[in-house]
Amino acid sequence: MHKRGLAFYARIYRKILIQDLKSKMSYRADFIISTFGMIMTNLSGFITFMILFHNFPTINGWDYYHMLFLYGFSLVALTPVQCFFDNNWNLRFMVQSGDFIKYCFRPVNVFFYFISEVFDVKGLGQLAFGIGTIVYAWIKIGIPVTVIIIAKLLVFLLTASLFMIALMNFAAATCFWIKGSGYVMVIMFRFKDFAKYPSSIFEGIFKIIFTFIIPIAFIAYYPSLVILEPSNVPLLSWISPLYGILFVYLSYRFWMLGVRKYDFTGS
Amino acid sequence: MSEYSGNEAVIMKNVCKDFKVLNRHEGLKGSIKDLFSRDYKTVSAVRDVTLTVNRGEIIGYLGPNGAGKSTTIKMMTGVLEPTSGELLVNGKVPYKNRTENCENIGVVFGQRSQLWWSLPLIESFKLLRDLYMVPEKDYEGMIELYRSLVDIEPILHKPVREMSLGQRTLSDILAAFLHNPAIVFLDEPTIGLDVSMKAKIRELILGLNKEKNTTVILTTHDMGDVDALCRRIVIIDKGTKIYDNDIEHLKNYFGSYRTLKLKRSDDTWEEYLIDEKTTDVMDVIMEKQKSMKIKDVKIDEISTEEVIKKIYEGSAK
Ligand SMILES: Nc1ncnc2c1ncn2[C@@H]1O[C@H](COP(=O)(O)OP(=O)(O)O)[C@@H](O)[C@H]1O
Ligand SMILES: [Mg+2]
């Protein structure tokens, strides 16, 4: 039996990605329309945000530009789940129709093979908007530009992205057990909208839920504190990278357990 | 199991597969209820099947709808675990070694493409070559072999989503053989195809089996497939194996049966299946002549289709 390591998977992913992009561009009209739609979606989200928050000088001690930073941070942190893990949205249809079985006939990891099939270009627009917003807020707040701070930003953006990936893996994999898993996905996906607000607006039981059980507070709030309030970083922010890795790992195991338990209905 | 000698592609010993089917409820609330529900019924899809398939064989795995054919194949490919019994594919337990098993098998489920939907076939081939880590020389050799067996030029640069059903099935079969697997499973590959595509596909399968000595396990409802490809057939019904032997043996068994064809005055044919042991063909013709005008008479051997039908009927009794 062939050994298939990380290098193998990276190479395969790159090749699938290149082919996928090539074929997407060959359908030019589709490509242009979806690019346009992506810009409009992001623009309208951004304008809504401006209107909502421009007249609020502070929320729990956060001023407008801090909020803007958080908003940009969450946009960037949500890019990987959008770009690389979008096929999770198709999982329940494939499981119900029986088409899912095709992912189990290849000598590679089923999760990888399934996820590698779709790369969603729309996420890239979000990434551009997010970066623009972060840069703008960064300048307005007057955060110094040093290698250390930028390195921290990258590490904690990456960390933040892990949580939404994990949440969507969990939500998608419920379809192996329950029929109405569409609701679960939509609810989880809606939760991400809360990520744009400082977690201090959550109180009591909600704070515990959104920190530990459905950890959306990690999608932007805790990781961004490292940049926004460097003198007063809570412990939760520092442990968020480890917690993120653990959470993704657990979601992966849960997903694979679903494949194992699923009995492949449909002839 | 000790009896694996290296020559058996598949060994099944008393294999059973039960499904626990939940009586499901609708909606979100119903789904949550289902999580904790114990409201099950058991469906026995495969019951106590024992079967050995040797390397290089093409066997027809037949049976009416719901007989358990696809379930058997799903167990052999390692996606389903047998409820009980022993199953070895290429000498290994498939469910415990899914990825390893997948290196040595190819699978086609009719009407369900496994290729990248938007990619031209040749790009799918190249990705599969990389996934299975096929050496470049072997890959080139296989493509050459394909060219010699079937005209692949018209489909090679076509995205799968733009293909006809026939072209897609052809592509899937080619893809299943690409890494030169020891066994290929074909589950109703010719379903919904026209006559010429069926002929093309049969020729291809036969050619690949001859050239590469690939074991082929084929399920089909088309007796034309069986006649063209299989020397041995295995029949299951309601999960139980009811026949396993050479197709010739089966025809001899029904050797006294004849298909009597009578041509009516409007040039259409009427068919009767007659067992010569119990009924005289001439008597039937005389009898029929009383009520209709017969323009022509033909007497044929029993067709495979009718043999299989007889067996199903026999087991239903
Ligand atoms: N995943 C499953 N869950 C419950 N019942 C199943 C499942 N798969 C198959 N069955 C049942 O098992 C029997 C055999 O099905 P199958 O193997 O698909 O038959 P065939 O391929 O011969 O038509 C049928 O009664 C079918 O309804
Ligand atoms: Mg079937």
Side-chain angles (χ1 to χ4, degrees), chain A residues 263-265 267, chain B residues 19 21 43 45 64-71:
Chain A
D263 63 9
F264 298 93
T265 28
S267 48
Chain B
F19 290 108
V21 185
V43 177
N65 277 327
K69 305 181 296 291
S70 298
T71 304

Side-chain angles (χ1 to χ4, degrees), chain A residues 193-258:
Chain A
D193 295 337
F194 295 128
K196 291 164 192 153
Y197 310 113
S199 178
S200 46
I201 66 171
F202 303 124
E203 291 298 340
I205 182 80
F206 289 108
K207 187 159 182 163
I208 292 172
I209 289 177
F210 290 127
T211 302
F212 295 106
I213 298 166
I214 307 171
I216 52 171
F218 284 102
I219 293 172
Y221 180 67
Y222 286 118
S224 66
L225 286 182
V226 173
I227 312 295
L228 290 179
E229 289 179 11
S231 58
N232 188 21
V233 181
L235 184 63
L236 280 174
S237 298
W238 291 123
I239 63 166
S240 61
L242 285 178
Y243 191 42
I245 290 167
L246 176 72
F247 212 57
V248 166
Y249 177 73
L250 289 178
S251 73
Y252 162 74
R253 293 309 295 254
F254 181 69
W255 203 100
M256 292 297 275
L257 182 73

